[in-house]
Amino acid sequence: MSDAEIDVAAFGIAFQRFMERVHELSGPRTSPLRDRVAEHLEADPAELPTVTEQVPSTDLPNVQLAVEALLEAAPGWELIGLPAEARHYGGFSLASLLSGRMGPHIDAAPPTYVNVPVAVGEVHACVELGVYLLTYDGTPVVLLVASGMEHAPRPGLSLEVLSPDLSVSERFIKRVRELMHEHDVYRGKVLGFAFSEHGGFGITFQQVPDLPREAVILPEADLDAIERHTITIAAHADALRSSGRHLKRGLLLYGPPGTGKTLSVMYLCGQMPDRTTVLLSGIGAGALGQAMAIARSLQPSMVVLEDVDLVAMERTMPGHGTNPLLFQLLNEMDGLAEDADIVFVLTTNRVDLLEPALAARPGRIDQAVEVKLPDADSRRRLLELYLRGVAHDIEAPDGLAAAVARTEGVSAAFVKELVRRAVVAGLTAGEEVLTAERLDDALTDLLEHSAPILRSTLGANPEAAGAVGDREAVQSAVPGISPAGWSRL
């Protein structure tokens, strides 16, 4: 028979009738899961509408805690697990699951849990895929929690609610949202961002060192200015809000590398422990939108953007006229309500490269503090700080006078490395007590014998420290450094 002799339309109609007859003869599609749900609802689930809510996958612990809070007031609840392969189906949903459209092999299974971090060193077991049968407002409710796989057709986290009363389903989802916010595991934590090989977005909890004020070696006036714009305003937030004063604020910390900008940020985190802090650096800067969503939701909050010049370079620079991250940052800072208790802390080693619309416009950056290379008093305090816990016979301040004089023009990072090297050299030589002579030898080694690029990385000013020939050596090692750039090394 040729193709021309086949009536395609007639064949299609006949085949459809054939399949309908097969369906009639096979009886209603059912499964133990569907039967259990129908029994719980006292209704045919195929006839009930479903309310669906999509949330980010990072909210899995918040969903789990919200559901657990609801279950405390819902005696007789039941959790039914599902096989993991169900998440691979593009059309996976509560309706398709209960109607049998996904096939008879997708049925109840033992529940599976995944341990999800909820703080530094702390995890909580969360259901990745399961169906809850419970009662809410006296009405039977079915809740599907489905955490999609990152590369699956439906990534993210899906919540689906089924109930004989649509208004109950809507109120239930609303209550889940409220409890998620109430039990949010990210509130009051210091957060960072991570990205998987597939580009998936994740939140990490950052350990913050316990830094007393005396561990932040800055000129008193500079540290006071930093504290006034952050800690002091936070302490008087309610009074400022009541008097109609705005709370959103921007702080810029700028200066050479290794001078203590990041340490100052860590100090602020420790001094404001109830404030949700989001740290953005490197590739994490691309998650500015997610960071701001967290900051707005979990106020009071602080958003830290390190090396902001990489994001907010002046628009006249080649290739930066249409930088989307710059415009997003400006819009986010402008879009906050006046009473939003959100602090922006921006750090940079190259303040001269910053876009003036960010750095020079009131309302975005309200305070700028230069974190300079440490002066003589600061270098002495740094040496005393890093010598704590080290067995030594160096009496301060006289025993440190020579080292303080020879380290003019170095950064705090240089001083820290100096003490470390001196301790290592002493231990290698079998000395139990660090001496001033050993400290002096380590300083000479760093200034005169280490690679020029290392000295510049640690913030040693070759001219101030008296190292001869470093200018030419470093310029040879790093050709991109201009003569003007030497003032920053």
Side-chain angles (χ1 to χ4, degrees), residues 75-159:
W77 60 272
E78 182 180 355
L79 171 62
I80 302 173
L82 296 172
E85 60 265 24
R87 295 189 292 170
H88 292 279
Y89 287 81
F92 174 70
S93 67
L94 188 57
S96 62
L97 182 68
L98 297 177
S99 68
R101 293 198 302 270
M102 297 181 63
H105 60 289
I106 304 296
D107 209 337
T112 57
Y113 293 81
V114 58
N115 283 334
V116 180
V118 294
V120 175
E122 183 181 345
V123 297
H124 191 81
C126 301
V127 175
E128 280 193 302
L129 186 63
V131 175
Y132 290 90
L133 309 182
L134 68 154
T135 301
Y136 183 73
D137 279 357
T139 303
V141 169
V142 177
L143 168 66
L144 169 68
V145 176
S147 178
M149 302 179 71
E150 185 179 334
H151 52 280
R154 290 180 64 184
L157 185 59
S158 178
L159 307 178

Side-chain angles (χ1 to χ4, degrees), residues 235-253:
H236 298 89
D238 291 339
L240 289 168
R241 188 181 285 111
S242 298
S243 63
R245 304 300 176 184
H246 72 85
L247 291 176
K248 68 170 185 174
R249 52 212 185 273
L251 170 66
L252 175 66
L253 302 179

Side-chain angles (χ1 to χ4, degrees), residues 21 83 156 233 251 303 372 387 445:
R21 183 57 179 161
I233 292 180
L251 170 66
V303 177
K372 312 179 196 68
L387 284 171
D445 182 61

Side-chain angles (χ1 to χ4, degrees), residues 58 117 120 186 189-195 202-207 277:
T58 51
V120 175
Y186 304 117
K189 307 290 178 50
V190 180
L191 311 172
F193 292 150
F195 297 89
I203 300 177
T204 60
F205 296 91
Q206 305 294 309
Q207 182 72 57
T277 300

Side-chain angles (χ1 to χ4, degrees), residues 273-306:
D274 296 329
R275 184 171 292 267
T276 306
T277 300
V278 184
L279 304 177
L280 297 175
S281 61
I283 191 173
L288 180 61
Q290 291 94 327
M292 289 307 304
I294 292 173
R296 282 189 294 266
S297 175
L298 301 181
Q299 298 179 48
S301 56
M302 178 165 67
V303 177
V304 179
L305 184 52
E306 294 197 283

